[in-house]
Amino acid sequence: MKITLSTLQKQHESNEKIVALTCYDAIFASLLENSGIDVLLVGDSMGNVLHGKNTTLSVTLNNMIYHTHCVSNGSSKALIMADMPFGTAQISPEQTFKNAAKLIAAGAHMVKIEGGHIMAETISFLTQRGIPVCSHIGFTPQSIYQLGGYKVQGTDETKAEQIRQDAKILENAGASILLMEMVPAAIARTITQSIHIPTIGIGAGIDCSGQVLVLHDILGIYQGKKNKFVKNFMIEATSIQDAINNYVSAVKNKQFPAKEHEF
Ligand code: KIV
């Protein structure tokens, strides 16, 4: 059965965990779907894991279009979410729509945009014109220089309150999914309980409606910084497919993330 936004909304409402994983090509798209991954995220983390950069900042719209095509060619079931890379969503809602439309034409079913309340107008503009949006808050890798490095967000009460408010504002603006990266589990829990759309966490604790990780991290082949929220599923697996199956069942059975993976 094809996974749509209504499928994900139903999963959220019935407390069935949503499983997402990054994906950048056709072979992995079909492999991931066969393991039961609900959402394939064509992430701008390709800057790190495919291009060998330390940040996502050099990823272009053309990179994203190319890899979205590849993923779409190998996929028939999962929902495909494509990242809007740095510089393609910040200028104006109109420009953002034009860029997002290219990702949708390449096969994405929705786009992901980093940023809190400041992006609300853009999200309304896109969603009112037929492009679903996942809002990405907490640690937003495209703002790494502004944030001063890879840091957990919302660690003091003022910043935590800003994240909680952003979540509500983005839901009201029309976002269909909220992705939270590197926020304390308690904040992610409160947000998940206080909004109606599904939340997907990465370093945001067990109580999000679903989880996402970077493919190369779960396969233990990324050579860069190892984040606390990552688990190498290859360690106990006999094959790549087995590792992905184990990731899917660990998320569905609420065994991942464990306490050691949260902030
Ligand atoms: O690009 C990406 O892989 C992401 C995840 C870190 C959520 O945005």
Side-chain angles (χ1 to χ4, degrees):
M1 198 185 65
K2 185 105 191 82
I3 311 281
T4 64
L5 279 173
S6 356
T7 321
L8 301 180
Q9 184 66 35
K10 280 192 198 121
Q11 284 180 228
H12 163 67
E13 284 163 15
S14 60
N15 211 13
E16 183 198 333
K17 295 288 181 189
I18 296 164
V19 196
L21 192 59
T22 66
C23 184
Y24 315 93
D25 64 33
I27 286 278
F28 270 104
S30 62
L31 211 120
L32 266 47
E33 282 192 348
N34 290 340
S35 291
I37 298 283
D38 300 307
V39 178
L40 303 175
L41 169 62
V42 189
D44 61 358
S45 51
M46 70 175 68
N48 306 92
V49 298
L50 301 189
H51 305 163
K53 301 279 191 185
N54 289 328
T55 71
T56 59
L57 298 172
S58 57
V59 175
T60 64
L61 185 59
N62 280 342
N63 292 153
M64 291 302 308
I65 293 170
Y66 173 77
H67 286 281
T68 301
H69 266 299
C70 297
V71 169
S72 173
N73 290 343
S75 160
S76 58
K77 274 195 306 235
L79 185 134
I80 302 175
M81 180 191 291
D83 256 330
M84 299 220 50
F86 181 58
T88 64
Q90 288 82 5
I91 295 168
S92 68
E94 287 82 357
Q95 275 276 356
T96 308
F97 185 90
K98 242 173 130 178
N99 293 332
K102 292 183 183 162
L103 294 170
I104 300 294
H109 303 119
M110 74 187 305
V111 296
K112 175 162 81 58
I113 299 180
E114 293 188 10
H117 59 282
I118 202 79
M119 301 311 293
E121 189 193 347
T122 296
I123 286 155
S124 300
F125 192 92
L126 264 61
T127 54
Q128 283 169 21
R129 287 162 181 77
I131 300 186
V133 177
C134 168
S135 278
H136 180 159
I137 60 171
F139 176 72
T140 45
Q142 293 169 13
S143 305
I144 180 139
Y145 297 138
Q146 183 90 18
L147 298 173
Y150 285 91
K151 290 183 183 158
V152 185
Q153 303 298 304
T155 46
D156 69 55
E157 186 39 40
T158 313
K159 290 185 182 139
E161 183 52 24
Q162 184 61 63
I163 296 177
R164 287 191 286 264
Q165 281 181 20
D166 279 353
K168 288 230 161 89
I169 292 168
L170 294 166
E171 175 183 37
N172 290 336
S176 309
I177 300 180
L178 186 75
L179 187 145
M180 293 183 270
E181 179 165 355
M182 283 172 81
V183 299
I187 298 176
R189 182 184 318 122
T190 310
I191 291 175
T192 303
Q193 288 164 353
S194 68
I195 60 176
H196 302 98
I197 56 174
T199 60
I200 296 184
I202 172 162
I206 186 76
D207 293 312
C208 296
S209 326
Q211 300 292 327
V212 65
L213 281 177
V214 171
L215 173 66
H216 295 57
D217 283 334
I218 76 158
L219 298 181
I221 52 173
Y222 181 56
Q223 304 298 311
K225 183 178 181 312
K226 304 268 180 291
N227 285 307
K228 173 183 160 95
F229 54 78
V230 162
K231 178 170 174 183
N232 176 356
F233 282 85
M234 270 313 272
I235 288 175
E236 290 168 20
T238 52
S239 65
I240 288 176
Q241 188 87 65
D242 193 34
I244 296 163
N245 287 341
N246 292 346
Y247 167 63
V248 172
S249 44
V251 173
K252 293 271 182 207
N253 298 329
K254 304 175 191 167
Q255 288 158 344
F256 178 84
K259 283 276 170 217
E260 72 204 73
H261 304 115
E262 69 181 39
F263 299 104

